Amino acid sequence: MITQSFLSSVEESNSANNNPSEFQTLQGKEPLKHLLIGSSKAVTSTIHYLQVIGYANVGDWSPLLPSPNPGEVMSILNRPIVV
């Protein structure tokens, strides 16, 4: 009986892995995109602060990208959240 339960959950996980958004929904999570826009110093500082408080690792953010506004950059974090 334990083996049957284990196999059922493995099969469900494997089928959910074929569609990441379906897997996240099954886990009670939905994708959320965070976008920081500002000066290079402000964006970098905020990314580091969010790591200090345990919200997101520095490496989880995209590299700094040019913003449509002169003198600004942006960085994006894709993260699933529980809803």
Side-chain angles (χ1 to χ4, degrees), residues 17-59:
N17 283 336
N18 294 334
N19 185 347
S21 62
E22 180 182 329
F23 178 73
Q24 290 174 348
T25 303
L26 290 174
Q27 298 295 321
K29 295 181 179 181
E30 290 187 18
L32 180 67
K33 295 176 182 160
H34 298 65
L35 178 61
L36 297 176
I37 301 174
S39 70
S40 177
K41 184 176 179 180
V43 171
T44 302
S45 176
T46 302
I47 289 171
H48 284 96
Y49 175 71
L50 291 171
Q51 178 167 317
V52 168
I53 64 171
Y55 186 75
N57 292 324
V58 170

Side-chain angles (χ1 to χ4, degrees), residues 54-68:
Y55 186 75
N57 292 324
V58 170
D60 295 342
W61 291 87
S62 72
L64 297 182
L65 305 166
S67 161

